Amino acid sequence: MSDLTFVDKSSAGAEERQFHIRVAPGEVSTVALLPGDPGRVPLVGEFLTDVIEVAHHREHRTLVGDYKGRRITVTSTGMGCPSTAIAVEELARVGVTSFIRVGSSAGLQPFVEPGDLLVSEGSLRNDGTTAAYVHPGYPAVPDLELTVALKRHAAAIAARAGVGMHSGINATDDAFYAETPEWIALLNRQGVLNVEMESSAMYVVARLRGLRAGMVCSASSNLVAGQSLYGDTHDRLANGWRLSIEAALETAVELEL
């Protein structure tokens, strides 16, 4: 046993091109927008100028561009907490200090309509990834200043577009098809606003690494009003993506992230 050398993943490859996202130091900015789907990375790019695609490996697609004088990075996380934690860890290694998740999330309260904007004030950690990082009672919470700015911009953008904006506690689940009606009903009774699959990992990793994180999503459906992803909600969801991206970008500019 004494002849073995155990790899310390916290330091291995820290100054190199990252193994999963394929990005190296100097290739990205200090703020990153994090959609889940690599197919939505170009959608964020439509808001930017001087766009350059940096890398696309597995579920992680990265581009950089400018928005109102601010350099912006966009990296897809893929679905779920494991790949999200990898993206945040590796982006932090190459210079990103602030993260804003822009994605889809299902409503859990009856007033949430598909396409509404949802700003997270914290996440119920129903995932396995964060359990490997922290104590079960450790909270998954976003950066306060970043979240206040996201709420302000999202409210103004939603009002202009004629859609709703809501903020509150969300749940982060690991298993999409394991969400039973009983689980959904419990979250609803406890006042949880929405459910998605990535934010708890982003929040916990960001806190542990001394970074900032927040989330603004588009409501994809409403699980207590019988509106599943298999229903006719996709146009409203896509409109909400654009509005959430704008709110995230305006926040990045205001706070000089």
Side-chain angles (χ1 to χ4, degrees):
M1 183 68 70
S2 60
D3 294 331
L4 299 178
T5 301
F6 297 98
V7 173
D8 181 358
K9 288 189 176 182
S10 67
S11 60
E15 303 300 323
E16 304 174 17
R17 185 169 299 281
Q18 296 302 293
F19 182 80
H20 298 91
I21 65 173
R22 291 291 197 261
V23 175
E27 294 182 335
V28 293
S29 62
T30 55
V31 58
L33 271 60
L34 304 180
D37 182 358
R40 286 204 304 275
V41 171
L43 177 61
V44 184
E46 293 178 11
F47 289 80
L48 310 178
T49 58
D50 298 322
V51 174
I52 301 170
E53 182 159 299
V54 177
H56 189 178
H57 184 239
R58 300 181 181 179
E59 63 265 54
H60 303 297
R61 185 177 187 179
T62 298
L63 62 76
V64 295
D66 295 327
Y67 183 81
K68 296 186 177 180
R70 200 87 198 155
R71 197 68 170 162
I72 304 291
T73 300
V74 189
T75 298
S76 53
T77 62
M79 288 188 291
C81 285
S83 61
T84 298
I86 287 171
V88 173
E89 293 274 25
E90 294 192 357
L91 285 168
R93 287 168 160 226
V94 297
V96 177
T97 56
S98 297
F99 302 86
I100 305 176
R101 170 163 151 69
V102 287
S104 306
S105 188
L108 294 171
Q109 299 301 321
F111 51 79
V112 176
E113 296 286 342
D116 284 358
L117 298 188
L118 306 169
V119 176
S120 170
E121 297 176 353
S123 175
L124 185 160
R125 291 171 45 214
N126 191 39
D127 73 276
T129 300
T130 59
Y133 278 93
V134 293
H135 183 277
Y138 190 96
V141 290
D143 178 81
L144 178 59
E145 183 184 25
L146 198 164
T147 301
V148 170
L150 279 175
K151 288 173 67 173
R152 183 171 60 254
H153 287 294
I157 290 166
R160 184 195 69 208
V163 302
M165 193 287 288
H166 317 282
S167 62
I169 300 295
N170 65 273
T172 300
D173 282 353
D174 261 351
F176 183 89
Y177 285 105
E179 292 171 344
T180 63
E182 293 76 19
W183 173 243
I184 293 166
L186 176 62
L187 294 176
N188 168 263
R189 288 195 302 272
Q190 293 180 349
V192 177
L193 179 66
N194 55 292
V195 58
E196 46 80 67
M197 299 181 69
E198 290 81 28
S199 65
S200 61
M202 178 181 68
Y203 294 153
V204 168
V205 173
R207 287 282 172 177
L208 292 177
R209 306 299 179 234
L211 310 170
R212 308 175 81 178
M215 179 173 76
V216 55
C217 282
S218 172
S220 58
S221 55
N222 190 310
L223 300 181
V224 302
Q227 296 169 321
S228 79
L229 283 171
Y230 291 94
D232 186 22
T233 65
H234 300 293
D235 289 343
R236 285 177 286 174
L237 170 60
N239 181 60
W241 286 336
R242 291 185 173 276
L243 301 178
S244 66
I245 291 165
E246 184 180 355
L249 290 170
E250 290 294 331
T251 296
V253 170
E254 178 195 340
L255 299 183
E256 299 181 345
L257 299 177

